[in-house]
Amino acid sequence: MMGYIHRPRKRAMAEINVVPYIDVMMVLLVIFIATAPVIMQGVSVDLPQAESTEVSEDLSDPIIVYVDKEGQYAVQSGSTTSKLENLQEVTDLVEEYKQKSPKSPVLVSGDRNAKYDLVVQAMVALKNAGEKSVGLVTEPLPSNK
């Protein structure tokens, strides 16, 4: 009699081939990297009106820094309004007004069509000049009408 040759039975593989999954993940990563800069671009936004508290009446007249749509600056304290060329002149004049009346709040008012960057630069320049609190005007002031 002839002897039987025992061949080992092939068992089913219990492994998952992850190569296709890695390929899909790489494609998704490339898509996200390619679309992220497009998503981050600026979008024109019409900012809403905001509720805010009024400046308290017990304080003296506020010092208001105006930024118009052409990027020009003006500073108003009481009935005096001065048009200025640059932020250094603005901060110097605000410091001069603050020496005369230290309790006056400092506010920044930007024209509706002014560049947001100019308004922020004015606020930062005032903070860097030593002003502890700089407010933002959210509605037209009576003197502006």
Side-chain angles (χ1 to χ4, degrees), residues 63-66 73-77 80-82 84 90 93-94 97:
I63 300 168
I64 304 169
V65 177
Y66 293 101
Y73 300 100
V75 177
Q76 178 183 358
S77 178
T80 307
T81 302
S82 305
L84 303 166
V90 170
L93 187 58
V94 169
Y97 285 146

Side-chain angles (χ1 to χ4, degrees), residues 72-92:
Q72 300 294 317
Y73 300 100
V75 177
Q76 178 183 358
S77 178
S79 61
T80 307
T81 302
S82 305
K83 292 190 176 192
L84 303 166
E85 295 294 321
N86 58 44
L87 285 174
Q88 184 60 47
E89 292 177 359
V90 170
T91 56
D92 292 344

Side-chain angles (χ1 to χ4, degrees), residues 57-73:
E57 295 296 326
D58 60 340
L59 297 174
S60 56
D61 287 333
I63 300 168
I64 304 169
V65 177
Y66 293 101
V67 181
D68 68 8
K69 61 184 175 184
E70 285 85 29
Q72 300 294 317
Y73 300 100

Side-chain angles (χ1 to χ4, degrees), residues 24-37:
V24 170
M25 292 304 293
M26 292 301 289
V27 169
L28 289 174
L29 180 64
V30 168
I31 290 171
F32 287 134
I33 289 173
T35 58

Side-chain angles (χ1 to χ4, degrees), residues 112-133:
R112 170 179 233 115
N113 298 320
K115 290 184 179 179
Y116 181 69
D117 181 51
L118 296 174
V119 175
V120 171
Q121 285 181 15
M123 294 180 78
V124 169
L126 291 166
K127 289 291 259 184
N128 289 342
E131 184 57 40
K132 292 180 179 143
S133 175

